[in-house]
Structure formats: C-alpha cells, structure tokens
Amino acid sequence: MALQTLKTLCNYVGNQATAASEEYLEVTSPHDGNTIAMVPLSTAEDVDVAVTSAKAAFGAWSGLTFKARSAYLLKLYVELQAHAEELAELVVLEHGKNMAEARGDVAKGLETLEYALSLPQLTQGRVAYVSNGVQCRDERVALGVVGGIVPFNFPFMVPFWTIPIALGMGNTYVLKPSEKVPMTMTRVA
C-alpha cells in the first residue's frame, strides 16, 4: 500500500471525527524513519469528551438485546474481513512487522470478534437451586464504559482482545491506541 500524502489522524467520538488537541506527534515508519502520519496528543479534556459520549451512548446500547448487538458485531466482522489485507498493510507500515506477521495480527484479532458473536449463547446465565427455597443466580450484565489503553506490539490484535467482548456484553468503549501505531485502529474507527 502506497501512502500518498502525510496523514493527520484525529480522534473519533460518537462516530464523528473530532478536532483533537492542537499538538501532534510524528508517527514514523520503522522501515526507513520517515514520518508517515501525525497523531494528536490528546488532552484530559479530549478524554472527558470521549468518556462523556460513551456514557451517553451506554443506555441505548446496553438496552439492545444480545441478538441486536451481535448483529452489529457481525457487520463489523464482515467489514473488517473485507479490509483485512489493508489493515495488515497498515500494520506493516506503522509497526514494521513482515506481511505474514501482520496478517496473523489481524487474523487473531478477528478470532476474538468471532468468539464475541457467540456471546448470546455463552452468557445466558444460570440459576442453581442450592437449598429448599434458596437459589443462586448467575447473570451477566453490562457495567458501563470500558477503557482500553493498548501497547504498540500488536496494533490490531490487542485492542480486539477486549473491544468485541465489551461491546457484545452491552458496554461502551473508549480506546487509546499506542501513539507509535495509531493508524490501524484509526482505520478501524
């Protein structure tokens, strides 16, 4: 994949690109040291905006059925599968992995998304009658906003260890990818 122009990245909040901090950091290619993107150095205010948006979305999102949330995750899976090669190319560009490793990074992340598609069957809860008139109930419920701060070593796989499961369970999510490899997850957004 040839990067035509230097890309200035932004934050995504509520499915909208947001004007982030006015300070940016260069993202450099480990292959040749060239600057390939500029990533915003987000401020505490930027984080507050993202968390406030995630809190506002929580009620509607967690109010959906497992089936409805899984339908959204399935659409995400299909879209990511269609762009898996492009995502692997971004991993190569920004991280320096070879193509086989980058494809593996994307494939392993997609495996977790596949697993999350089975959450409606895995999280049905249980009731155990432990004594006369006494029962124990196991229920899985959404907790709220989940935050993920992820390292640089697997730009796609590590965020996808938590994103699909958190979303599938009805939580909302705020992700802070590594400033060294932000392009892959920005593309996902």
Side-chain angles (χ1 to χ4, degrees):
M1 178 176 81
L3 192 65
Q4 303 298 338
T5 59
L6 180 66
K7 186 167 180 74
T8 300
L9 305 178
C10 58
N11 294 333
Y12 284 87
V13 177
N15 294 327
Q16 300 292 320
T18 63
S21 166
E22 294 183 18
E23 290 187 59
Y24 287 81
L25 180 69
E26 292 181 351
V27 178
T28 57
S29 169
H31 296 285
D32 57 18
N34 288 331
T35 300
I36 54 176
M38 300 296 289
V39 64
L41 294 175
S42 297
T43 64
E45 183 180 330
D46 294 320
V47 174
D48 288 343
V49 167
V51 170
T52 298
S53 177
K55 283 180 180 177
F58 175 71
W61 179 251
S62 64
L64 294 175
T65 64
F66 270 112
K67 182 179 177 185
R69 290 192 302 263
S70 289
Y72 283 108
L73 290 177
L74 181 57
K75 288 179 185 178
L76 176 62
Y77 178 79
V78 168
E79 194 68 22
L80 292 174
Q81 278 283 59
H83 294 277
E85 193 70 8
E86 176 189 353
L87 293 169
E89 290 172 353
L90 280 170
V91 171
V92 169
L93 176 66
E94 70 179 349
H95 185 278
K97 291 179 184 280
N98 65 46
M99 187 54 104
E101 291 172 331
R103 286 178 180 135
D105 183 338
V106 173
K108 294 306 276 184
L110 287 174
E111 282 180 13
T112 305
L113 182 49
E114 289 173 11
Y115 170 82
L117 292 171
S118 65
L119 287 173
Q121 288 74 37
L122 296 174
T123 59
Q124 293 180 11
R126 298 176 292 202
V127 176
Y129 296 95
V130 294
S131 185
N132 194 12
V134 178
Q135 64 180 352
C136 291
R137 182 178 303 269
D138 173 4
E139 293 181 2
R140 310 251 175 156
V141 296
L143 300 174
V145 178
V146 174
I149 302 172
V150 296
F152 74 96
N153 52 338
F154 291 94
F156 186 86
M157 180 179 72
V158 171
F160 269 76
W161 282 347
T162 55
I163 292 171
I165 295 169
L167 293 177
M169 290 301 299
N171 300 290
T172 52
Y173 203 94
V174 175
L175 174 68
K176 191 275 181 200
S178 170
E179 68 282 358
K180 295 178 188 218
V181 291
M183 296 170 69
T184 302
M185 291 314 295
T186 299
R187 178 64 179 110
V188 169

